[in-house]
Amino acid sequence: MSDATEVETTEVDEQPAPAPLPESNETLEDEELANLVTAEEYLMRKDVQLLEYEKQMFLDLVHADGLLVAAKGLSYERVLLHILKVYSDAGNLLLVINSADWEEQYYKSKLDAKYVHEVANTATERERVYLEGGIQFISTRILVVDLLKQRIPIELITGIIVLRAHSIIESCQEAFALRLYRQRNKTGFIKAFSSSPEAFTIGYSHIERTMRNLFVKQLYIWPRFHATVRAALHPWQAQTIELHVPLSARVIAIQTHILDIMNFLVREIKRINRSVDMEAVTVENCVTKKFHKILQAQLDCIWHQLNSQTKLIVADLKILRSLMISTMYHDAVSSYALIKRYRSTEYAISNSGWTLMDAAEQIFVLSKQRVYNGQNEFEPEPCPKWQALSELLTQDIPGDMSRRRGADHLDPPKVLILCQDARACYQLKQYLTQGSARYLLQQALRHEVLVGKLSDEFAKQSQGAAMAEPATKADVKVEPDTPAAAPPAARVLDELSQLLSETDAEAQLQQQLFEESYMLTMTQAAPNDPDPNASIFEIIPELEQFDVSAALAAHRQPCICLQTFKTEREGSMALEHMLEQLQPHYVIMYNTNVTAIRQLEVFEARRRLPPDDRMKIYFLIHARTVEEQSYLTSLRREKSAFELIIETKSKMVIPEYQDGKTDEAFVLYKSYDDEEPTNAQTRQGAATGVALASARVTPKIIVDMREFRSDLPCLIHRRGLEVVPVTITIGDYILTPEMCVERKSISDLIGSLNSGRLYNQCVQMQRYYAKPILLIEFDQNRPFHLQGKFMLSQQTTATNADIMQKLQLLTLHFPRLRLIWSPSPYATAQLFEELKLGKEEPDAQVAAALGSDEAGPAPGEQLQYNNAIHDFLLRLPGVHTRNVHGLMRKGGSLRQLLQLTQTELAELLQSQESGKLLWDILHVAHLPEKDEVAGSSALLAASKQFGSGSHNRFRKAASEARRGRR
């Protein structure tokens, strides 16, 4: 699109946003031309309120397709919202992919409902909705299938918007959908957004590969240090006050000892693995929030090569990080309960040995001293930040309010306290409503910490808190804005993922107690000498319905809102939503967070208030501690990530055809349409070339609809093969009329073998296809052999150890079944292409019908038989796949089979030997024989038991049946 991109405004009041007109439409009416505005004119409208850098983002993306990478907190949501408003028109079809649920809800709530369409459940309904135009937030799996089945008018799509673009790799469904779209639509746009610059630093040429997969040529970079961003935010900066809260001597000592142990383990892991790149394993990274992701990305592919000591150290580094977090942020009782868990004999045996160090002993002793005094009485120390928070709420903020607005000010102060997670939010709510003494006693009972005798001072505090506490609600209902999260689906994790997983059963259990938002108010006037342990706050029940405005209207007391940085329901937009609703006078950053700080900056810049009316931000931070270091590390990593992206942009070479608007972009993919004519013209004459051109067909593979959750269909299409999505009951991929493939990942293979599902699938494949194939596919990021949890050697469970035996039984049971081991989906796609060379193309209708009730005869079979009888006969001696069909056609029934003589059976099975084997199994009583004497005595005993000549029970039954018919 050129710089003079034009959009059309509507004259209806409820639809202020203009709609773009197609560039090819040159027959516009005069009155329509009069309503055209440029993108610059659109930004000058009163209802468009964007900051200067957001306006520049808007202009960049309207004028050209591209990838926008913004710093965290410099939200692109408003920019994208106005782009969506511009294209809100029934004449446009705009698709938004790769969005989270909370993002989808946010945009839908801000757009005109008549232009936003829900994705229909049925294919017919979706076809109708596509033709209505408007905006659709659609899952990529549905979009890919609809594109392949041509249910969606691809040529009529105005454009596609991709969110979280850093996750787009060439094998993902989003890249598949964009490739299908761009192959048949050369005029529509693609605009991509990302707010994770650090993700682009992982891997080789990540940013170039992402842009290639997105079919964009422009890269727009917006770090916090961008001159336009600084110019927009700097004049409206809020007043910030940094309060350095000192840690207690015991907490400082515990932190020092934990860092010493971490430093020792880091040096140890590097000493053991000198040949492995351990650059990311540093003490600085160990205390950051994303340490487990860094470690997993670095060690995942070589996990099987590491010895047991290294694996124990990795697990212990994660434990030490949790101990550090607990010591810094949780109360003394909860921290002591966690540390005490690692002083057991069982853990001492299974760890890397850090519990035997002197520093570990000091950690255990100091943690206990934080809870019990010298006389072993229960007297836990409060969190260092509690006292500072109480002073802010009861002294500093009321005093500042009266100074700024006068003693007779009417508006009560509104305070927003921001915490890092729901646990910290709950802790502060309990502290403010109950007092520190009662809360710590409650925590001791919950964590089963022995209370014993209370110290005199602690007993006095707890009684005083109980007396001062007013009638507050004891039970807090679960708020609708924080629904209890459903338990995650059970999934098989590899050993490293299990080690580094941050959630455990206890955390999930406690998560049910925690909320993400609370609203409190003062219940009484603060006394002259406030007791920090006395409770002067209560919960406002209106927040249970998340109605902040109702809560503010109903209560004229000071309002205190506790909020996490982001919530499960609204993501990072939760803070912006709360700021707009609450309009706080004061913000207390109980924990530090880069994104939240920038969101506060942007919010203040939007309000454009004079300095006296701007909100005041207090930072409660432990200076020169792990907390401050973690914050600085996150800033440094983001800055270095942007510097790398900027340097890459200055050097990258982008081909002209990368936008996919010419066919050159798809020349690199193998094209079967181009090969035959070239060969025909070089080897033969024009007449032969015409004949070959008429006969050539693009190879196609039938893919089960359920397989579109994997990467393989995308990679198959990328090699130039046609993908036909069909719901099939037998197999996952149909390569030829005779070749059927069942694909299994390693975890799926183990589950299918243990449950017996794979046996039934092989039965169906062998019955209907001449060449059934079991494809065992490995993860491309893992070694190409069974390892880790799936290692078939020592230290494995009995369930995993017999997988090979079950595979051997499977091949013995199904002689025609072929096993293919593939190292990655890329290798599988190449393998499928080679297997199809020179073969017939499969029929989608036949493949869909096989296995269903209305299915016709299978290839190679003239008739259909009872499957259970067919399988039973194959297990009898003398019966095999070559004679079973003749036996079923001429044998009649099992009763008739018992009446046939040995000669008749031999004629039926076309073999004297097979006839004798089958006759013996049907008519001779087979008793266990240890030797000839034992066998004779057994026969004699049997004859006495059943009567003379009656040892052949089958013959007796047959004669009785014969007499009954006469």
Side-chain angles (χ1 to χ4, degrees):
M1 299 175 71
S2 65
D3 289 348
T5 302
E6 297 181 329
V7 290
E8 177 190 14
T9 59
T10 58
E11 298 177 355
V12 186
D13 292 339
E14 60 269 16
Q15 177 54 36
L21 293 175
E23 296 177 359
S24 60
N25 191 353
E26 299 177 358
T27 60
L28 296 172
E29 299 294 335
D30 292 342
E31 59 270 17
E32 289 178 334
L33 287 169
N35 286 332
L36 287 177
V37 295
T38 63
E40 289 80 1
E41 291 171 336
Y42 171 78
L43 291 176
M44 295 171 65
R45 297 172 48 159
K46 292 182 179 179
D47 58 340
V48 179
Q49 296 181 350
L50 294 175
L51 298 175
E52 198 58 42
Y53 73 88
E54 290 176 326
K55 290 180 180 179
Q56 190 59 47
M57 287 181 182
F58 178 85
L59 292 173
D60 288 342
L61 284 169
V62 165
H63 289 153
D65 295 358
L67 165 62
L68 184 144
V69 183
K72 290 179 180 176
L74 302 182
S75 56
Y76 57 73
E77 281 81 5
R78 288 183 183 244
V79 177
L80 176 54
L81 181 62
H82 281 285
I83 290 176
L84 293 175
K85 283 183 177 181
V86 161
Y87 288 97
S88 293
D89 188 82
N92 297 317
L93 176 57
L94 192 64
L95 304 177
V96 182
I97 61 175
N98 206 27
S99 61
D101 291 338
W102 64 266
E103 289 176 305
E104 183 177 336
Q105 294 304 319
Y106 169 76
Y107 293 121
K108 284 181 177 178
S109 66
K110 301 286 186 181
L111 294 168
D112 193 339
K114 67 180 180 181
Y115 295 126
V116 180
H117 300 298
E118 298 291 334
V119 179
N121 293 325
T122 62
T124 309
E125 186 68 15
R126 283 203 302 276
E127 286 186 49
R128 183 187 64 77
V129 173
Y130 288 141
L131 293 173
E132 290 180 1
I135 299 170
Q136 284 203 37
F137 294 83
I138 188 168
S139 74
T140 322
R141 183 166 164 256
I142 293 174
L143 178 61
V144 165
V145 173
D146 285 351
L147 288 170
L148 287 170
K149 286 185 168 287
Q150 299 183 4
R151 292 175 184 151
I152 183 169
I154 301 177
E155 295 82 2
L156 301 181
I157 297 175
T158 307
I160 295 180
I161 288 176
V162 186
L163 302 182
R164 292 203 296 282
H166 53 269
S167 63
I168 307 299
I169 58 175
E170 63 182 0
S171 61
C172 70
Q173 296 292 328
E174 288 78 16
F176 192 6
L178 292 172
R179 189 161 65 248
L180 291 169
Y181 161 70
R182 193 46 96 199
Q183 279 180 336
R184 296 185 54 190
N185 185 324
K186 307 295 184 184
T187 58
F189 65 76
I190 297 173
K191 305 184 190 303
F193 296 82
S194 173
S195 60
S196 181
E198 295 169 32
F200 291 108
T201 63
I202 300 171
Y204 178 72
S205 302
H206 193 154
I207 191 84
E208 294 102 313
R209 286 186 284 118
T210 303
M211 291 174 65
R212 191 162 58 245
N213 297 329
L214 290 168
F215 294 98
V216 296
K217 295 195 294 184
Q218 299 297 326
L219 174 62
Y220 305 110
I221 309 168
W222 288 94
R224 173 62 181 84
F225 53 81
H226 195 291
T228 311
V229 177
R230 288 164 61 185
L233 300 182
H234 186 71
W236 311 103
Q237 281 186 339
Q239 185 181 355
T240 57
I241 300 171
E242 213 171 278
L243 299 177
H244 289 182
V245 182
L247 288 172
S248 67
R250 294 191 185 96
V251 174
I252 293 174
I254 291 174
Q255 175 187 279
T256 305
H257 291 310
I258 291 177
L259 287 174
D260 286 344
I261 297 173
M262 278 186 164
N263 191 33
F264 168 76
L265 292 181
V266 166
R267 283 190 281 110
E268 189 70 9
I269 200 172
K270 290 183 176 180
R271 182 188 64 81
I272 296 172
N273 304 279
R274 294 184 185 277
S275 60
V276 180
D277 181 17
M278 293 281 181
E279 186 181 349
V281 185
T282 63
V283 176
E284 183 184 4
N285 283 338
C286 285
V287 297
T288 57
K289 187 178 179 182
K290 294 187 176 180
F291 166 65
H292 66 289
K293 291 184 180 178
I294 298 170
L295 206 57
Q296 189 162 0
Q298 184 136 8
L299 299 182
D300 207 7
C301 56
I302 57 166
W303 187 248
H304 67 291
Q305 299 175 4
L306 306 179
N307 58 21
S308 58
Q309 181 68 8
T310 304
K311 295 178 182 180
L312 290 175
I313 291 175
V314 170
D316 288 342
L317 284 173
K318 186 232 172 188
I319 289 170
L320 288 166
R321 180 178 174 275
S322 68
L323 295 183
M324 178 74 77
I325 291 170
S326 179
T327 305
M328 294 290 298
Y329 301 121
H330 302 166
D331 56 90
V333 176
S334 302
S335 178
Y336 172 63
L338 179 64
I339 290 174
K340 191 174 68 169
R341 195 190 306 171
Y342 297 108
R343 209 180 184 184
S344 62
T345 309
E346 294 80 6
Y347 181 72
I349 295 172
S350 61
N351 68 28
S352 61
W354 70 270
T355 53
L356 303 177
M357 298 173 64
D358 293 338
E361 184 63 28
Q362 288 298 314
I363 291 171
F364 296 135
V365 172
L366 290 167
S367 298
K368 186 174 182 180
Q369 289 176 1
R370 292 184 69 203
V371 179
Y372 301 99
N373 61 16
Q375 288 75 39
N376 208 25
E377 295 172 332
F378 185 75
E379 188 182 356
E381 65 178 39
C383 288
K385 288 185 181 180
W386 286 356
Q387 178 73 26
L389 181 64
S390 291
E391 290 176 359
L392 277 176
L393 293 176
T394 57
Q395 297 176 29
D396 295 2
I397 288 177
D400 183 72
M401 197 78 177
S402 60
R403 282 195 306 273
R404 291 171 66 183
R405 308 206 173 191
D408 56 344
H409 67 278
L410 298 175
D411 290 338
K414 292 178 287 189
V415 183
L416 177 61
I417 304 175
L418 295 177
C419 310
Q420 65 179 354
D421 55 22
R423 179 173 190 146
C425 219
Y426 172 79
Q427 180 198 95
L428 290 184
K429 188 268 294 185
Q430 293 294 93
Y431 163 67
L432 292 173
T433 54
Q434 294 182 347
S436 62
R438 289 201 64 186
Y439 172 66
L440 291 170
L441 195 58
Q442 189 184 69
Q443 289 295 98
L445 296 174
R446 176 177 296 160
H447 292 291
E448 299 180 356
V449 173
L450 183 63
V451 175
K453 183 184 177 183
L454 300 179
S455 69
D456 295 339
E457 186 179 352
F458 188 79
K460 191 188 301 181
Q461 289 177 4
S462 58
Q463 289 172 2
M467 291 173 63
E469 184 179 3
T472 59
K473 297 182 183 297
D475 298 325
V476 185
K477 297 177 185 175
V478 176
E479 301 160 11
D481 64 312
T482 56
R491 53 184 182 269
V492 181
L493 294 174
D494 59 273
E495 190 179 356
L496 180 58
S497 299
Q498 288 175 338
L499 279 180
L500 299 176
S501 173
E502 291 199 312
T503 59
D504 53 13
E506 183 182 353
Q508 290 177 7
L509 181 66
Q510 290 182 345
Q511 195 67 24
Q512 299 172 2
L513 302 171
F514 306 146
E515 312 289 331
E516 291 171 330
S517 299
Y518 299 99
M519 189 167 281
L520 313 177
T521 184
M522 283 188 164
T523 59
Q524 60 190 26
N528 294 331
D529 187 16
D531 179 8
N533 295 305
S535 169
I536 59 170
F537 302 96
E538 70 174 356
I539 294 173
I540 297 180
E542 278 81 358
L543 195 69
E544 293 169 9
Q545 283 75 42
F546 203 65
D547 192 352
V548 178
S549 55
L552 296 174
H555 297 266
R556 300 297 299 172
Q557 300 99 333
C559 173
I560 296 141
C561 181
L562 297 167
Q563 170 84 29
T564 54
F565 293 129
K566 60 182 180 180
T567 63
E568 196 172 316
R569 179 185 167 190
E570 294 183 282
S572 58
M573 292 301 294
L575 176 55
E576 188 175 324
H577 185 215
M578 179 58 76
L579 288 169
E580 289 174 357
Q581 280 193 306
L582 188 64
Q583 297 285 327
H585 303 121
Y586 301 92
V587 176
I588 300 175
M589 298 285 291
Y590 190 77
N591 305 114
T592 54
N593 183 274
V594 176
T595 306
I597 291 169
R598 288 174 182 162
Q599 283 179 303
L600 293 173
E601 284 185 302
V602 171
F603 173 71
E604 201 58 77
R606 289 193 206 286
R607 295 203 297 178
R608 295 175 173 267
L609 296 177
D612 291 342
D613 295 336
R614 294 176 198 165
M615 60 186 177
K616 211 171 200 179
I617 303 172
Y618 293 93
F619 288 91
L620 294 180
I621 191 166
H622 299 301
R624 293 183 297 278
T625 61
V626 169
E627 181 184 30
E628 186 180 39
Q629 182 59 46
S630 179
Y631 171 70
L632 295 174
T633 301
S634 61
L635 276 178
R636 179 185 57 78
R637 290 180 60 197
E638 186 192 70
K639 183 173 180 288
S640 60
F642 269 118
E643 288 172 349
L644 177 65
I645 294 173
I646 292 168
E647 184 186 1
T648 305
K649 181 181 179 180
S650 66
K651 296 177 180 177
M652 72 167 67
V653 178
I654 300 174
E656 278 296 319
Y657 57 78
Q658 184 164 298
D659 56 6
K661 294 184 178 180
T662 61
D663 289 333
E664 290 179 73
F666 303 99
V667 169
L668 296 177
Y669 305 129
K670 191 166 185 178
S671 175
Y672 288 89
D673 292 339
D674 298 337
E675 286 184 357
E676 295 293 348
T678 306
N679 295 337
Q681 289 168 10
T682 54
R683 287 198 301 260
Q684 300 174 8
T688 315
V690 171
L692 282 173
S694 61
R696 70 172 179 250
V697 178
T698 302
K700 65 181 178 181
I701 293 178
I702 297 172
V703 182
D704 185 26
M705 299 283 263
R706 293 174 288 269
E707 279 295 302
F708 281 91
R709 295 187 184 95
S710 68
D711 297 343
L712 188 52
C714 173
L715 297 173
I716 291 172
H717 182 270
R718 202 166 181 273
R719 296 193 68 86
L721 304 174
E722 182 184 350
V723 175
V724 183
V726 179
T727 302
I728 52 179
T729 56
I730 300 173
D732 293 328
Y733 299 86
I734 311 299
L735 307 185
T736 69
E738 295 183 341
M739 201 177 297
C740 171
V741 179
E742 179 71 31
R743 189 187 71 89
K744 296 288 181 190
S745 63
I746 296 296
S747 55
D748 193 19
L749 173 70
I750 292 173
S752 301
L753 283 172
N754 291 335
S755 67
R757 188 172 79 250
L758 183 56
Y759 175 84
N760 296 327
Q761 290 170 335
C762 291
V763 167
Q764 294 287 331
M765 283 199 298
Q766 182 158 294
R767 180 171 296 130
Y768 290 100
Y769 290 95
K771 298 175 181 177
I773 296 172
L774 173 61
L775 170 72
I776 301 171
E777 189 177 85
F778 285 71
D779 186 347
Q780 60 185 348
N781 297 321
R782 304 285 172 80
F784 183 38
H785 61 83
L786 297 173
Q787 51 87 26
K789 182 171 180 178
F790 316 117
M791 176 111 40
L792 306 182
S793 60
Q794 71 262 15
Q795 299 178 354
T796 56
T797 61
T799 308
N800 291 342
D802 61 358
I803 296 301
M804 274 301 179
Q805 287 87 327
K806 289 181 179 178
L807 280 176
Q808 290 166 358
L809 283 174
L810 200 69
T811 53
L812 289 172
H813 221 82
F814 302 101
R816 285 188 293 156
L817 181 68
R818 297 290 178 264
L819 262 63
I820 294 180
W821 302 78
S822 173
S824 70
Y826 290 87
T828 305
Q830 181 181 352
L831 187 68
F832 281 2
E833 183 183 9
E834 292 171 359
L835 286 173
K836 281 186 63 63
L837 287 176
K839 303 289 195 310
E840 235 181 302
E841 297 302 325
D843 189 328
Q845 292 183 345
V846 173
L850 289 181
S852 57
D853 295 336
E854 61 271 11
E861 288 188 16
Q862 300 301 320
L863 300 170
Q864 289 286 302
Y865 300 109
N866 185 329
N867 294 335
I869 297 296
H870 179 272
D871 293 342
F872 170 74
L873 288 176
L874 280 174
R875 285 167 173 76
L876 295 177
V879 182
H880 44 75
T881 53
R882 289 193 297 274
N883 58 26
V884 65
H885 297 298
L887 182 63
M888 294 184 77
R889 281 196 298 271
K890 301 175 185 175
S893 65
L894 288 175
R895 178 176 290 176
Q896 294 173 12
L897 207 60
L898 288 167
Q899 297 170 8
L900 298 177
T901 63
Q902 182 175 335
T903 308
E904 291 171 333
L905 284 175
E907 292 177 359
L908 201 60
L909 298 177
Q910 299 176 353
S911 168
Q912 293 290 337
E913 185 180 356
S914 299
K916 184 177 186 308
L917 286 171
L918 183 57
W919 193 87
D920 285 346
I921 199 68
L922 293 176
H923 299 282
V924 177
H926 292 269
L927 299 176
E929 296 182 6
K930 294 183 180 178
D931 49 38
E932 292 184 3
V933 177
S936 301
S937 60
L939 285 171
L940 184 60
S943 64
K944 289 180 180 179
Q945 182 178 355
F946 299 107
S948 59
S950 63
H951 65 278
N952 194 334
R953 288 166 296 190
F954 293 99
R955 184 179 293 169
K956 183 178 179 182
S959 61
E960 287 177 356
R962 197 181 297 114
R963 284 199 300 272
R965 280 200 303 275
R966 290 173 185 167

